[in-house]
Amino acid sequence: MLNIALFGPPGCGKGTQSKILIEKFGLTYISTGDLLRKEIAAQSNLGLAAKKIIDKGGLVDDDLIVKLIEKHVENNHEHGILFDGFPRTHVQCYILDGILADMGHSLTAMLSLEAPEDILMTRMLERAKISGRSDDNETVIKMRFKEYQEKTLPVVEFYQRQKKVHIINGVGTIEEISQRIDNVINSLLIARN
Ligand code: AMP
């Protein structure tokens, strides 16, 4: 099992790289952002509660994220799971470790995609033209960067203590970044064999 958490600030390319990774390694994809957007579209209580926070650029409460994961994560992952945008807080690191332990597994690695904020902002404003996402506008994006700095960066420290963090340069073409990720995963697979 290859259980990967793909980590990084808004706009770093997690969604794009996730699609490539799940194809290549046959991983189950769990994106809390996508699951929340599904709940919003379905107008569930969970979705309605989350929308208020997402539209302001905040982070959805950990207890709602637990409910979301319980609702959507099943226990049949042949090759492993790719988590995109989760964990995003210190508490969520414990939640993730608990979920994987229940399955008899653990996190293989956290891949942290890094890029400067000005590049991220440009990418996201470009994406906003086609994404239709209500949280892809400059004011909300700035708030999302702030939340990332304050609440999400401690997640890296948590997994650094477990020696599981791999920093990846997130500046370049999709192919270049994908190659960097591949190099890390291949080295993990070699180290395991
Ligand atoms: P994303 O699609 O990953 O960029 O997530 C979009 C928004 O959903 C974020 O700005 C948060 O408001 C919310 N969100 C997604 N995943 C989480 C999470 N793990 N914890 C808290 N909020 C989340």
Side-chain angles (χ1 to χ4, degrees), residues 64-75:
L64 283 186
I65 296 294
V66 173
K67 283 195 189 115
L68 184 79
I69 298 265
E70 277 173 351
K71 192 165 161 188
H72 293 276
V73 178
E74 291 162 11
N75 195 352

Side-chain angles (χ1 to χ4, degrees), residues 32-33 36-37 54 58-60 65 85 88 92 133 135 144:
T32 43
L36 287 166
R37 283 183 286 277
I54 292 174
L59 286 185
V60 174
I65 296 294
R88 250 179 164 106
Q92 289 180 22
R133 275 176 57 165
D135 58 344
R144 288 161 68 190

Side-chain angles (χ1 to χ4, degrees), residues 26-175:
L27 304 175
T28 301
Y29 181 51
I30 295 175
S31 153
T32 43
D34 281 358
L35 293 176
L36 287 166
R37 283 183 286 277
K38 263 188 207 150
E39 293 288 337
I40 292 171
Q43 299 195 319
S44 67
N45 286 341
L46 200 160
L48 295 175
K51 184 171 170 31
K52 288 187 198 136
I53 303 164
I54 292 174
D55 282 351
K56 287 192 204 126
L59 286 185
V60 174
D61 298 345
D62 290 327
D63 58 334
L64 283 186
I65 296 294
V66 173
K67 283 195 189 115
L68 184 79
I69 298 265
E70 277 173 351
K71 192 165 161 188
H72 293 276
V73 178
E74 291 162 11
N75 195 352
N76 56 346
H77 313 287
E78 206 186 332
H79 301 293
I81 308 176
L82 176 69
F83 294 94
D84 166 357
F86 173 78
R88 250 179 164 106
T89 63
H90 196 238
V91 169
Q92 289 180 22
C93 296
Y94 287 97
I95 297 169
L96 174 61
D97 282 3
I99 292 168
L100 289 171
D102 270 355
M103 297 177 185
H105 296 290
S106 62
L107 192 71
T108 314
M110 155 163 284
L111 309 184
S112 179
L113 277 177
E114 297 193 349
E117 271 188 19
D118 55 338
I119 291 185
L120 297 172
M121 180 60 91
T122 308
R123 274 190 201 165
M124 291 184 82
L125 292 176
E126 206 43 49
R127 177 176 89 180
K129 293 178 191 160
I130 48 166
S131 74
R133 275 176 57 165
S134 54
D135 58 344
D136 276 351
N137 65 72
E138 192 163 350
T139 315
V140 175
I141 292 168
K142 281 190 182 148
M143 184 61 194
R144 288 161 68 190
F145 284 154
K146 190 165 168 279
E147 287 285 87
Y148 176 77
Q149 289 293 335
E150 286 174 7
K151 296 186 189 154
T152 304
L153 275 182
V155 170
V156 177
E157 287 158 28
F158 182 93
Y159 286 107
Q160 256 160 354
R161 286 196 289 277
Q162 299 184 11
K163 304 205 183 321
K164 289 187 174 168
V165 178
H166 300 262
I167 308 282
I168 290 164
N169 176 1
V171 181
T173 63
I174 292 174
E175 292 75 22

